[in-house]
Amino acid sequence: MHRRAFTASLTAAVLAGPGDAVRASARGRPPVSIAMLMFPGMTALDLVGPQAILAGLAGGRLHLVARQTGPIPSDTGLTMVADTSFETCPGEIDVLFVPGGDATPGQMREEATLAFLRDRAARASWVTSVCTGSLILGAAGLLDGYRATSHWCVRETVLPRLGAIPVNRRVVVDRNRITAAGISAGLDFALVLAALLHGDDAARTSQLVAEYAPEPPFSAGTPETAGPDIAAGAGAILKDLVDGSLAAAASYAPR
């Protein structure tokens, strides 16, 4: 049994067993329909981490969506495959997901992408993102007045220009919007969403299957813990992304 089937079977077992009212109410729910946006220059881990957790809840209804189907190169050269186009993506979905990456500024200006997001978000139960994917949601007008987070390099500078209220947290839930901080926070996001969809024990089961028990060798995951010298070096690496995102946000007008 491969991992996706194993995760699905474990989730089903959790939902079928005794438990609290949240688990009981989730029992018998149909698989969740998920549309995960892909674009050239995205960050692979933004998508792959959540996909590994959420695939077991989707029961074959997880769609990797791009403007056109086919190979999609990430910002580090890893290529993945979109199996669904904007045109063939189901109109009714439960979860709309947007990753970030070096190509975020271009996607903030890509009207076909923004139109697709607006259309599906209007009927989705959850509108979500990881890392700078929240800037793409914001550029589509989908974060006006919502509390949200993003990668630390753009959270305080770009999100407010897109109508969002920046929050320095790993995962932020505001009504049906869920946004996560940079890259690795995608796993945290996926577990939060799994719990909202199918209960805490289903999320705990997925966490254990993934053996997600992080013990990083360094305490350098935020500018505050990394210190000024490391933060300055990381900022230099991210400068083009920050500058491009600021420029793309400059033309934003609330819808």
Side-chain angles (χ1 to χ4, degrees):
M1 180 182 292
H2 58 70
R3 187 169 63 173
R4 182 169 65 180
F6 183 51
T7 302
S9 67
L10 282 174
T11 300
V14 169
L15 298 178
D20 58 23
V22 174
R23 285 212 320 264
S25 66
R27 194 177 303 133
R29 288 180 182 174
V32 178
S33 176
I34 303 173
M36 305 187 83
L37 179 69
M38 301 176 72
F39 53 86
M42 60 173 283
T43 295
L45 188 56
D46 285 4
L47 183 142
V48 172
Q51 192 272 347
I53 298 294
L54 298 175
L57 303 180
R61 299 178 66 199
L62 191 150
H63 307 278
L64 300 177
V65 185
R67 189 167 184 175
Q68 295 180 332
T69 60
I72 306 292
S74 73
D75 56 9
T76 59
L78 178 66
T79 296
M80 298 172 290
V81 178
D83 57 26
T84 307
S85 69
F86 288 174
E87 290 74 22
T88 59
C89 180
E92 305 289 337
I93 54 174
D94 298 305
V95 179
L96 178 64
F97 172 83
V98 181
D102 287 349
T104 292
Q107 293 301 307
M108 292 170 69
R109 295 185 173 99
E110 180 55 62
E111 186 52 41
T113 297
L114 302 182
F116 169 78
L117 294 176
R118 292 185 198 108
D119 180 78
R120 297 311 192 274
R123 297 181 297 281
S125 299
W126 297 98
V127 177
T128 71
S129 67
V130 167
C131 198
T132 55
S134 58
L135 304 187
I136 302 172
L137 287 180
L142 298 173
L143 290 181
D144 281 342
Y146 286 87
R147 298 166 67 249
T149 191
S150 193
H151 193 286
W152 60 265
C153 72
V154 294
R155 184 185 61 240
E156 305 297 332
T157 55
V158 185
L159 271 180
R161 301 189 182 204
L162 300 170
I165 303 164
V167 179
N168 183 7
R169 291 188 60 186
R170 191 86 166 155
V171 179
V172 175
V173 182
D174 186 348
R175 290 159 280 177
N176 76 330
R177 286 352 185 216
I178 309 177
T179 53
I183 308 176
S184 64
L187 286 172
D188 302 64
F189 150 76
L191 292 172
V192 168
L193 179 59
L196 289 167
L197 291 169
H198 278 174
D200 289 357
D201 279 3
R204 290 188 181 101
T205 302
S206 295
Q207 181 177 1
L208 182 55
V209 169
E211 198 174 352
Y212 179 44
E215 295 181 3
F218 307 104
S219 180
T222 69
E224 295 78 15
T225 59
D229 291 342
I230 298 297
I237 292 170
L238 296 164
K239 185 178 186 301
D240 288 346
L241 172 61
V242 174
D243 291 347
S245 298
L246 283 167
S251 61
Y252 173 76
R255 298 182 66 82

